[in-house]
Amino acid sequence: MKPLLIVLAAALTSPALAQDHPVIVSIGSVTSEKTCTTYQLAWGREAMVSSGRSVGVAAGDYAVGASRSATAYAAAWGTDLVKDCVANFPRLRASMRDALASSGKVRVGTGGLVLNASLSATGEAGMAIERDGISDNRQDALVNVRWSLNDRAGRTVAGGLLTKRVSLSSDLSTDNGSFSQSEQSGSAYGRLQSDAALAVARAISFHYAPLRVTDVDDRRVRLNYGTPFLTQGATVLIPNRRGMGTIKAYIETAADGYALAEVDGSGTMDDVAIGTTVQFVEADDPAANKNRHERVDLPL
């Protein structure tokens, strides 16, 4: 009977069963820094007040009169400082909720874990490269996201810190011509908010229901997540059977509940086992943009 009990216990803790019973997460405190501008306002006021009074008495053929008048002038001048603040991500809480709900592996509700998140150090970062007749200038908007998942006792059971960035403008000039593009900051910050919410939702979902290989076919593998967590062109890293290396692959097809990833370069997926846990690489991670050189045999 003991081996049977061990098998049952393993089944109760398997990832497949965890997917049948989604983790319940409620959205707790979600905050972001505000962009504030201080204005100096000068003000002034002045007034002039006049008053007068007259009295007259008449008796028979005689009349006597008297009058009095007064004028007052007042002036006041000063300077006030006015601080005007605008929230950078007004829909951040709703974005977090929608992103979690879209995973299919996490249920947004009450009575479970609580997600707290904060965005900080919002700003812009520039890069300029000048070499060999090429001028490359870029400006990005970026934000740091700190998140934590807490149980009913307030203990942190998962958390992390990530940085997201999107392009605001780019200018590329060479001897043969130039190319430039730009995006309004309001639109860029909206996209940054959406990307940050999806990144946090991915981290939580993959923590409880990992991204896995469900089928293998020559140069492609099928994964257990689809849109919006996995999108066409996204990068994933897949360990081989021996655990001695990883295969870089790109998402070629993403649908509802699954995605197909194709190996980068001339390799194959023959050394990948079904059930292998896959690492997702964020688009702004250097690993997603790292150059890959195909291995070739040199002539003797």
Side-chain angles (χ1 to χ4, degrees):
M1 292 298 293
K2 183 176 295 185
L4 179 60
L5 291 176
I6 295 175
V7 171
L8 288 175
L12 289 174
T13 57
S14 67
L17 192 64
Q19 294 180 17
D20 294 335
H21 299 275
V23 176
I24 300 175
V25 175
S26 61
I27 310 299
S29 172
V30 179
T31 60
S32 67
E33 291 182 342
K34 295 182 178 180
T35 300
C36 296
T37 305
T38 301
Y39 300 94
Q40 184 174 349
L41 299 180
W43 56 271
R45 58 175 177 265
E46 58 182 346
M48 180 177 291
V49 180
S50 300
S51 62
R53 183 180 179 183
S54 61
V55 178
V57 178
D61 295 332
Y62 299 96
V64 178
S67 64
R68 185 176 60 181
S69 63
T71 301
Y73 173 79
W77 304 94
T79 302
D80 290 338
L81 296 179
V82 178
K83 191 174 185 180
D84 181 28
C85 295
V86 178
N88 292 318
F89 301 95
R91 295 193 67 255
L92 179 60
R93 184 183 182 87
S95 297
M96 290 284 187
R97 180 197 62 218
D98 296 344
L100 278 173
S102 68
S103 71
K105 308 295 191 297
V106 175
R107 183 162 64 87
V108 179
T110 57
L113 301 172
V114 178
L115 170 64
N116 297 309
S118 63
L119 277 71
S120 61
T122 55
E124 299 179 5
M127 181 187 71
I129 299 177
E130 303 278 348
R131 65 181 181 187
D132 300 331
I134 298 177
S135 175
D136 188 3
N137 296 280
R138 300 182 183 181
Q139 195 75 13
D140 295 337
L142 56 90
V143 63
N144 294 326
V145 186
R146 184 180 298 276
W147 65 275
S148 64
L149 211 55
N150 304 95
D151 60 17
R152 296 182 182 180
R155 295 170 297 198
T156 300
V157 298
L161 175 65
L162 55 91
T163 299
K164 299 301 297 180
R165 67 169 60 211
V166 297
S167 174
L168 288 176
S169 64
S170 62
D171 294 284
L172 179 64
S173 299
T174 67
D175 295 336
N176 298 322
S178 61
F179 170 80
S180 64
Q181 65 176 11
S182 62
E183 182 176 0
Q184 293 183 350
S185 59
S187 174
Y189 272 94
R191 190 153 53 91
L192 196 60
Q193 173 179 275
S194 178
D195 288 351
L198 276 173
V200 173
R202 268 193 295 263
I204 294 173
S205 296
F206 292 169
H207 178 78
Y208 289 100
L211 179 63
R212 296 185 184 277
V213 174
T214 60
D215 199 4
V216 180
D217 180 21
D218 191 21
R219 291 173 46 82
R220 299 190 303 177
V221 295
R222 184 184 177 101
L223 305 176
N224 61 333
Y225 279 84
T227 56
F229 278 21
L230 302 182
T231 56
Q232 190 174 22
T235 304
V236 292
L237 302 178
I238 308 171
N240 58 26
R241 292 177 186 269
R242 295 167 295 170
M244 299 295 291
T246 58
I247 300 171
K248 186 176 182 179
Y250 295 105
I251 303 298
E252 64 166 11
T253 301
D256 185 14
Y258 77 94
L260 301 178
E262 183 174 2
V263 64
D264 175 33
S266 60
T268 68
M269 295 290 189
D270 295 341
D271 202 24
V272 175
I274 294 177
T276 298
T277 299
V278 177
Q279 178 186 350
F280 178 84
V281 182
E282 296 287 343
D284 46 15
D285 190 310
N289 304 304
K290 183 179 180 181
N291 293 329
R292 182 186 186 278
H293 301 283
E294 183 179 344
R295 180 178 178 178
V296 296
D297 295 328
L298 298 176
L300 298 175

